[in-house]
Amino acid sequence: MSSKVLHAIYTDDDLLMQAVKQTREARYHIEEVYTPFPVHGLDKAMGLAPTRLAITSFLYGLVGLTVAATMMNFIMIEDWPQNIGGKPSFSFIENLPAFVPIMFELTVFFAAHLMVITFYMRSKLWPFKEAENPDVRTTDDHFLMEVDVANHDVETMSKFLGDTGAIEIKLIHK
């Protein structure tokens, strides 16, 4: 079954924000909004849930810290202890000050790299993926709000979106 959406195009980000608020108040479902730059507060205006990427980043950092501590303990204490620069190799705790920079670097390394991978997977940005941008003008200076028609009258919705300041409204069959 194909679904129908209305593409409403705006020329100003403040006008778009107001239109998103009015559209939500009218109980229409906004599928997606395409903008040429980030519009601060748009996610809250659309009613999107807050992201959990920060929690994921913290967990990835803990994984990096654990890998660093485990790696250094095995390499420098258990497997091949060496007296480097007069530092004793009897225990991990005695060498902890020398290990802090490595633990910090691996914590940041794991958090950063795994976050990039997580972001790409979450956003479905695969290599060689075709762009899903419905209107090329949204990469330059226009804003597009995609509203689901569902069980609503197209004429009424078009009039409503026109009243919110849309300069162009198109019915699209997906």
Side-chain angles (χ1 to χ4, degrees):
M1 180 174 135
S2 69
S3 62
K4 296 178 191 177
V5 292
L6 281 175
H7 284 180
I9 297 181
Y10 300 87
T11 57
D12 184 44
D13 58 336
D14 293 328
L15 192 61
L16 173 74
M17 281 290 285
Q18 191 60 33
V20 166
K21 290 174 185 175
Q22 291 173 357
T23 306
R24 292 223 36 229
E25 286 172 7
R27 305 266 189 240
Y28 293 130
H29 177 69
I30 300 172
E31 289 283 328
E32 188 65 71
V33 175
Y34 298 90
T35 64
F37 54 83
V39 178
H40 298 288
L42 185 61
D43 53 344
K44 286 186 181 182
M46 289 178 63
L48 299 177
T51 181
R52 295 182 302 268
L53 286 177
I55 297 167
T56 313
S57 178
F58 177 74
L59 294 175
Y60 290 156
L62 287 179
V63 169
L65 183 65
T66 304
V67 167
T70 305
M71 177 189 73
M72 288 182 300
N73 185 53
F74 178 74
I75 293 171
M76 298 299 292
I77 306 302
E78 294 176 16
D79 186 42
W80 195 315
Q82 297 179 21
N83 187 349
I84 300 171
K87 295 179 185 148
S89 301
F90 302 125
S91 72
F92 184 80
I93 298 298
E94 287 178 325
N95 288 321
L96 190 60
F99 293 161
V100 168
I102 298 166
M103 292 189 320
F104 171 76
E105 291 298 331
L106 280 179
T107 298
V108 172
F109 179 85
F110 270 70
H113 286 79
L114 291 175
M115 277 306 299
V116 168
I117 293 168
T118 301
F119 174 75
Y120 284 148
M121 288 173 49
R122 183 75 178 104
S123 300
K124 298 177 184 161
L125 293 174
W126 314 115
F128 310 109
K129 182 180 184 221
E130 301 241 353
E132 294 179 4
N133 193 355
D135 193 327
V136 73
R137 293 176 292 176
T138 60
T139 62
D140 188 20
D141 61 350
H142 285 69
F143 304 85
L144 186 140
M145 180 170 54
E146 191 176 84
V147 184
D148 187 21
V149 173
N151 299 318
H152 302 287
D153 181 35
V154 175
E155 294 298 322
T156 307
M157 283 183 70
S158 296
K159 172 134 177 45
F160 171 78
L161 292 172
D163 291 342
T164 63
I167 61 166
E168 184 180 320
I169 301 166
K170 290 183 192 172
L171 178 64
I172 307 293
H173 297 275
K174 281 186 159 184

